[in-house]
Amino acid sequence: MRHFAEGDESAWESIIGESFKWSERTGKFDAIMRADPAFRAERVLFVCEGDRPVASASAWHRAAHGPGVGYLHYVGVLPSHQGRRLGYQVSLLLVALRVPEARAEGDRHDQDRDDDRRHDHDESPQHHLADGDAEARGDHHGADAGHHERDARL
């Protein structure tokens, strides 16, 4: 097994195209995978027979799902290699490889949240200015409303 490397686009297109019975495959990797901000080469894994990729799975993350949450995406096996549990194996390994990344991401999110909580209790002029800005905007949901607005823009 190995991660995606430059030049693997056509192998991925063949595996996924045959698995999902796509009639048009050329250029799909760039259009679907590489164009997506979530794409990371280390999140695309191949099972190889010799040097030839025969199965693939991708780990994906969307910020909307929250920190430390990901999912498997585009799991496929060439028809000539189906029935050998390769899709299961590549998926399992990919999840195991991505768990430390997800945990680290969750830890960073927890630290950021703790920092925000400490900031919420800060009595500095900047904190009061932010609260005043929320009131000036007509936001009457309390002092935290300005803070939540700032979070949404980050």
Side-chain angles (χ1 to χ4, degrees):
M1 288 197 206
R2 66 174 175 81
H3 295 286
F4 173 86
E6 289 301 315
D8 284 335
E9 296 84 354
S10 62
W12 182 89
E13 292 167 351
S14 291
I15 293 166
I16 300 304
E18 288 185 42
S19 297
F20 292 92
K21 302 193 184 334
W22 291 345
S23 58
E24 181 58 43
R25 299 176 187 149
T26 305
K28 290 282 191 176
F29 184 86
D30 286 337
I32 293 172
M33 301 291 279
R34 197 184 316 267
D36 195 305
F39 171 73
R40 304 282 182 279
E42 66 272 13
R43 293 180 184 167
V44 179
L45 196 61
F46 288 109
V47 173
C48 297
E49 181 177 76
D51 291 336
R52 179 180 173 225
V54 297
S56 182
S58 306
W60 230 239
H61 169 75
R62 297 272 184 242
H65 296 302
V69 177
Y71 57 97
L72 289 172
H73 193 49
Y74 287 109
V75 176
V77 178
L78 289 175
S80 59
H81 288 75
Q82 291 176 358
R84 301 180 193 178
R85 301 179 53 93
L86 297 178
Y88 172 77
Q89 291 172 19
V90 70
S91 297
L92 205 57
L93 181 58
L94 189 60
V95 168
L97 292 172
R98 300 291 27 115
V99 165
E101 175 187 1
R103 282 188 181 144
E105 183 181 300
D107 290 346
R108 282 191 305 275
H109 176 75
D110 290 344
Q111 180 64 46
D112 290 346
R113 190 179 57 224
D114 290 345
D115 289 347
D116 288 346
R117 286 184 183 142
R118 281 191 291 277
H119 178 73
D120 285 345
H121 297 291
D122 183 6
E123 293 300 322
S124 68
Q126 291 85 5
H127 182 71
H128 291 291
L129 180 61
D131 293 343
D133 287 347
E135 291 171 9
R137 286 192 311 268
D139 189 347
H140 301 292
H141 298 288
D144 282 341
H147 175 73
H148 293 298
E149 172 113 358
R150 284 191 309 274
D151 283 351
R153 287 182 281 178
L154 294 178

